[in-house]
Amino acid sequence: MSTPTRLRLFCLPYSGASAMVYARWRRALPEWLQVCPLELPGRGMRMDEPLQRDIKALAAQLAEEISRDLSGPYALFGHSLGGLLAFELAHALSARGVPAPLALFASGTAGPARRDVSEYAIEKTDEQLIARLRELQGTTEEALANPELMQLMLPILRADFLLCGSFTYGERAPLGMPIHVFGGKQDSVRADQLLDWQLDAASGFSLDMFDGHHFFLMQHESAVLRCMRRYADEHLARWRNGAARQLAAG
């Protein structure tokens, strides 16, 4: 009896976070949709590695790491900074000539083509970082008032903001996979900024809006995962049909 095909979902964290933010998705999603959180240097299991501040260099590093084993279908997901990094990772994987992801999921992040990252290019003070965390409504006041926690978190957040600030769009062909974009109805990232992702989608685009602010994917996790699972199921079924046709033709 053959083993059912799985779709690996490589998940990229948002600013200041580690791969652990996606750990619970492994229990919430079916086995065929295999959640594979990618840990970034300087946090979690990679705490002993230096923090990265160059988004293209980080994307190239991650592409090298995951391209060692891309024997089956996969997709990319990223929230906020993670969405922008997923975009760079898709281009880095393309440059290596490896099979393309079946889809790119970009959550809570503006399209790259007209994106202004100038505010992130200048290093932020602790006070500015804490103010930004408070504005994004993803960190409790108790956590913000914890000096030990902030001592660990702020250097990572500062580097991640600079990582975002290093992004340059340049002249690039649209990506050859569908792009599915998620947004929060009360988020500061506007719908027109989310729609800018269409400029980089050569083979399909969708936009789904959810109630909530920037961290709507936590506030309405079940709805977000249902939506993502539906798209992933469609892409995996299409991939299976294509693989079956190739086998029959061969």
Side-chain angles (χ1 to χ4, degrees), residues 9 18 25 35 39 64 87 95 122 135 137 165 197 250:
L9 182 67
S18 77
W25 286 13
V35 176
E39 192 69 274
E64 180 183 1
F87 171 78
I122 301 171
E135 178 187 340
Q137 302 183 30
W197 279 98

Side-chain angles (χ1 to χ4, degrees), residues 51 67-68 73 88 93 104 119 121 125 169 184-186 190 192 211 217 225 239 244:
L51 291 162
S67 63
R68 296 167 189 162
E88 286 288 2
L93 289 165
L104 168 63
E119 69 168 299
T125 65
Y169 184 69
K185 294 177 182 178
Q186 288 79 45
R190 304 185 309 272
D192 62 298
D211 286 326
L217 83 164
L225 294 184
W239 182 90

Side-chain angles (χ1 to χ4, degrees), residues 10-17 21-22 38 40 43 55 58-59 62 76-90 104-110 115 160 163-164 197 214:
F10 292 107
C11 299
L12 295 145
Y14 48 84
S15 295
V21 296
Y22 298 116
L38 294 180
L40 305 186
R43 68 208 78 196
I55 196 167
L58 177 56
L62 294 173
L76 304 177
F77 174 90
H79 180 74
S80 196
L81 168 66
L84 189 61
L85 182 54
F87 171 78
E88 286 288 2
L89 178 55
L104 168 63
F105 294 92
S107 172
T109 191
R115 192 184 188 114
D160 284 354
L163 191 69
C164 180
W197 279 98
H214 191 62

Side-chain angles (χ1 to χ4, degrees), residues 94-128:
S94 176
R96 296 182 70 85
V98 300
L102 299 191
L104 168 63
F105 294 92
S107 172
T109 191
R114 292 194 282 250
R115 192 184 188 114
D116 180 9
V117 297
S118 58
E119 69 168 299
Y120 297 102
I122 301 171
E123 189 167 312
K124 300 288 189 291
T125 65
D126 287 357
E127 292 74 19
Q128 289 171 323

Side-chain angles (χ1 to χ4, degrees), residues 56 87-88 91 112-113 167-175 199-200:
K56 283 187 171 61
F87 171 78
E88 286 288 2
H91 278 289
F167 173 77
T168 54
Y169 184 69
E171 293 295 327
R172 293 192 253 193
L175 291 169
L199 301 172
D200 285 278

